Amino acid sequence: MCANPLDNRSRGSGGGSVLRAPRSALRKPGGSDSGLCHPCRMNADDLRALRRARDLMDREYAQPLNVPVLARSALMSVSHFSRQFHAAYGETPYSYLMTRRIERAKALLRRGDLSVTEVCHRVGCTSLGSFSARFTELVGESPSAYRARSHEASAAVPPCMAMRLSRVVRISRIGEAQAPGPA
């Protein structure tokens, strides 16, 4: 899988630009291809379609979105959309959507005027248990604890910086922080 699908731009025969990764990035350590139908090669139209789906998630995060709905918005099959989204942004569509929901939940919880259950439903989650588990996994503390602690220090930070500073950082399975994908 490519680290960056925008490496080594070249023109395809179809007139649209094709984005390719170096040949060495196309192989798994064992020597086989990564399993994608066109490993690390996306045309500009596919990237626009993926961006359209990502924008839909950013805009409509509180709606009941699922991968088939997102794939339809990108005019792709579900499996192709999932593979291409992961290749382009480094995380699955569901993971991206949940990260956005948790970021919005953090902002609502900092305000302090809503209960955890109300925040859960406002960001589009239907199960309080799943929301709390995912929040704790991504933030490192429960939604109740996050809501209860003081956020006075962040009140003086401009909103544009607060959003960047409060971005959810994923913890990998081996315990190291991973930087979030492209914004």
Side-chain angles (χ1 to χ4, degrees):
M1 178 176 8
C2 298
N4 182 356
L6 301 178
D7 287 346
N8 299 333
R9 294 174 186 232
S10 65
R11 293 302 246 167
S13 60
S17 70
V18 175
L19 308 173
R20 299 175 196 257
R23 267 243 186 267
S24 60
L26 299 179
R27 303 205 188 288
K28 285 185 178 177
S32 66
D33 284 358
S34 68
L36 297 177
C37 51
H38 298 289
C40 302
R41 190 179 75 188
M42 283 183 242
N43 64 37
D45 292 336
D46 283 350
L47 285 174
R48 273 191 288 280
L50 292 171
R51 197 171 307 119
R52 191 171 42 244
R54 189 183 68 179
D55 290 346
L56 176 66
M57 286 186 262
D58 288 339
R59 207 175 39 253
E60 305 290 332
Y61 64 90
Q63 300 303 316
L65 296 174
N66 56 29
V67 177
V69 168
L70 296 168
R72 267 194 307 277
S73 77
L75 306 173
M76 295 180 183
S77 73
V78 173
S79 56
H80 183 68
F81 170 73
S82 293
R83 285 190 303 268
Q84 294 295 82
F85 191 95
H86 190 275
Y89 299 114
E91 60 185 327
T92 65
Y94 177 76
S95 179
Y96 180 87
L97 177 61
M98 285 306 294
T99 300
R100 294 297 155 259
R101 285 177 172 170
I102 298 301
E103 286 176 355
R104 270 48 171 218
K106 285 173 65 177
L108 292 172
L109 289 168
R110 275 194 302 273
R111 282 185 5 198
D113 60 336
L114 298 172
S115 71
V116 173
T117 303
E118 289 171 320
V119 169
C120 168
H121 293 296
R122 286 220 180 155
V123 298
C125 296
T126 55
S127 165
L128 181 60
S130 296
F131 167 76
S132 295
R134 189 62 174 233
F135 189 97
T136 303
E137 174 189 332
L138 294 175
V139 178
E141 62 184 322
S142 71
S144 320
Y146 186 84
R147 182 180 181 269
R149 83 173 154 85
S150 174
H151 297 283
E152 294 297 321
S154 64
V157 178
C160 59
M161 291 303 293
M163 192 168 106
R164 183 177 201 146
L165 294 172
S166 67
R167 173 145 290 172
V168 173
V169 177
R170 300 192 161 281
I171 305 299
S172 71
R173 291 190 181 142
I174 56 174
E176 296 174 3
Q178 296 177 342

